[in-house]
């Protein structure tokens, strides 16, 4: 398994931590208007808070919308990278 800026990745999956939240993101090289979150390169994304609660989940469609302001900061951060 190769190491990247977010930790260890398996294929096109990345995992990392930002401001106390953990995230797992599956992304592609090109954005997708059909499957990408907000038209981005992200096709799947889960965010958990420090207690392990899922605060956002996107699996080629929105399952759980952002639950708090901290999650929104994580989403903004990830869009700067994978948008």
């Amino acid at each position: 398994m190769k190491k990247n800026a977010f930790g260890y990745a398996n294929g096109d999956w990345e995992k990392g931590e930002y401001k106390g939240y953990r995230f797992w993101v599956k992304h592609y090289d090109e954005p997708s208007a059909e499957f990408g979150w907000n038209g981005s390169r992200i096709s799947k994304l889960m965010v958990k808070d420090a207690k392990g609660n899922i605060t956002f989940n996107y699996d080629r469609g929105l399952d759980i919308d952002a639950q708090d302001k901290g999650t929104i900061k994580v989403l903004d951060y990830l869009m700067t990278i994978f948008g």
Side-chain angles (χ1 to χ4, degrees):
M1 200 176 284
K2 70 178 186 178
K3 192 166 183 169
N4 59 44
F6 298 105
Y8 290 95
N10 183 5
D12 51 0
W13 278 95
E14 311 270 354
K15 69 178 182 177
E17 187 171 339
Y18 184 75
K19 298 193 180 264
Y21 289 78
R22 294 183 305 153
F23 62 83
W24 295 261
V25 58
K26 185 173 186 177
H27 64 88
Y28 296 100
D29 293 333
E30 297 294 324
S32 172
E34 183 178 359
F35 296 114
W37 172 59
N38 288 341
S40 71
R41 298 185 296 136
I42 298 170
S43 67
K44 297 182 180 191
L45 171 60
M46 182 185 344
V47 179
K48 289 186 177 183
D49 65 16
K51 294 180 183 177
N53 299 312
I54 298 172
T55 59
F56 181 85
N57 196 68
Y58 181 91
D59 189 345
R60 296 184 181 155
L62 186 61
D63 300 309
I64 300 172
D65 205 355
Q67 300 294 303
D68 56 37
K69 290 179 183 181
T71 300
I72 292 169
K73 289 180 182 179
V74 174
L75 300 176
D76 289 343
Y77 168 71
L78 291 172
M79 280 301 278
T80 65
I81 298 166
F82 300 109

